[in-house]
């Protein structure tokens, strides 16, 4: 069965410091991986995805993610955090099981960036 | 593009009442998803349509929940009768068919059942 795990409920970072939000995955097919961000009282917004190709994927708002097949990880990164990056971040994987169009989401990681 | 449009944004109702949530997907997208988000259970897929046909409704909690997609530009999620445990934020999302397509989410409908 497909699944993703976000091992940290919360990540605290000082503004200007690099940030990493962790995600590991388990899939039986090709690992199509996604990151989304959710601001309070808003819907989920797409940040970036890995389908194939370069292991380093660049996305919106200066975020990037590194696909690591040997470690089955897809960590989200940003070189310099902003207070406005504070939000809930979700990792997701394409469901190659019954609902092949569906994404399976992790539980989310709350990112808090302090000035 | 207007994005995925959901209505109402907020709904407060009493136990036993019927609730209807509405969704207009992005034009040209042929897959539509209904998710529910709660603090306890996170994001759960309720039902998934492809080309207006329900493909997987295994996430629908029980018979009180039903969803329809009469055409490519409109879907409803109905709860009848509603219960307090149905209180949650309900999201609609759409995408183009294909493994690489990302989902685009609406702003959600926050349901409170008293």
């Amino acid at each position: 069965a497909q699944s993703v795990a976000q091992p940290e409920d919360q990540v605290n970072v000082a503004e200007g410091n690099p940030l990493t939000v962790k995600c590991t995955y388990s899939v039986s097919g090709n690992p199509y991986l996604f990151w989304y961000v959710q601001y309070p009282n808003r819907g989920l917004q797409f940040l970036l995805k890995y389908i194939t190709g370069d292991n380093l994927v660049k996305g919106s708002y200066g975020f990037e993610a590194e696909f690591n097949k040997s470690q089955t990880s897809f960590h989200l990164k940003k070189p310099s955090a902003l207070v406005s990056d504070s939000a809930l971040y979700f990792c997701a994987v394409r469901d190659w099981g019954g609902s092949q169009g569906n994404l399976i989401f992790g539980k989310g990681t709350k990112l808090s960036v302090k000035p | 593009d207007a994005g995925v449009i959901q209505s109402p944004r907020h709904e407060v109702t009493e136990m036993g009442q019927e609730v209807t949530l509405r969704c207009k997907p992005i034009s040209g997208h042929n897959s539509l998803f209904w998710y529910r988000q709660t603090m306890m259970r996170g994001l759960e897929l309720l039902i998934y349509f492809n080309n207006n046909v329900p493909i997987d409704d295994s996430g629908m909690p029980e018979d009180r929940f039903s969803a329809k997609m009469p055409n490519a530009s409109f879907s409803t999620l109905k709860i009848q009768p509603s219960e307090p445990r149905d209180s949650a934020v309900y999201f609609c999302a759409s995408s183009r068919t294909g493994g690489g397509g990302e989902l685009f989410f609406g702003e959600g409908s926050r349901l409170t059942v008293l």
Side-chain angles (χ1 to χ4, degrees):
Chain A
Q2 278 66 229
S3 66
V4 290
Q6 295 181 242
E8 301 154 319
D9 290 336
Q10 181 155 346
V11 171
N12 298 313
V13 178
E15 187 175 31
N17 283 1
L19 69 88
T20 299
V21 183
K22 295 180 180 178
C23 172
T24 58
Y25 66 88
S26 174
V27 297
S28 56
N30 292 323
Y32 287 11
L33 298 157
F34 302 78
W35 275 103
Y36 283 80
V37 60
Q38 185 181 29
Y39 297 100
N41 301 312
R42 303 294 302 276
L44 278 71
Q45 297 178 32
F46 169 73
L47 280 178
L48 52 79
K49 65 182 177 183
Y50 172 84
I51 304 300
T52 186
D54 195 348
N55 289 345
L56 185 63
V57 179
K58 294 188 182 298
S60 306
Y61 311 122
F63 284 93
E64 58 189 27
E66 185 169 10
F67 171 70
N68 188 317
K69 187 173 183 178
S70 62
Q71 297 186 8
T72 60
S73 67
F74 189 56
H75 300 333
L76 182 70
K77 299 181 180 183
K78 188 173 182 181
S80 178
L82 300 172
V83 172
S84 57
D85 293 330
S86 298
L88 190 57
Y89 290 80
F90 291 94
C91 181
V93 65
R94 177 70 66 193
D95 181 6
W96 293 116
S99 296
Q100 293 195 13
N102 179 35
L103 296 185
I104 297 172
F105 287 87
K107 292 189 176 297
T109 298
K110 182 179 180 180
L111 174 66
S112 179
V113 182
K114 294 290 196 291
Chain B
D1 207 329
V4 176
I5 299 173
Q6 291 188 246
S7 64
R9 289 295 313 278
H10 302 275
E11 174 91 8
V12 179
T13 190
E14 293 187 347
M15 183 173 63
Q17 297 298 306
E18 178 179 295
V19 173
T20 299
L21 308 178
R22 298 172 177 80
C23 175
K24 176 179 170 55
I26 293 172
S27 177
H29 285 188
N30 49 9
S31 294
L32 183 138
F33 309 81
W34 283 100
Y35 285 87
R36 178 171 67 177
Q37 185 179 35
T38 61
M39 290 291 291
M40 292 297 294
R41 301 173 68 90
L43 271 166
E44 303 173 276
L45 176 69
L46 299 178
I47 188 168
Y48 155 47
F49 292 87
N50 191 44
N51 292 324
N52 312 337
V53 176
I55 301 300
D56 182 358
D57 65 354
S58 60
M60 296 287 263
E62 48 199 273
D63 292 346
R64 297 186 297 106
F65 285 69
S66 62
K68 294 182 179 180
M69 192 165 186
N71 57 62
S73 59
F74 184 66
S75 177
T76 59
L77 178 67
K78 186 175 292 187
I79 308 172
Q80 165 64 15
S82 58
E83 296 182 2
R85 60 190 168 128
D86 301 332
S87 298
V89 181
Y90 291 81
F91 287 104
C92 177
S94 69
S95 75
R96 289 189 173 85
T97 300
E102 59 268 30
L103 274 61
F104 293 83
F105 283 77
E107 294 294 320
S109 295
R110 180 176 295 275
L111 173 64
T112 302
V113 183
L114 303 174

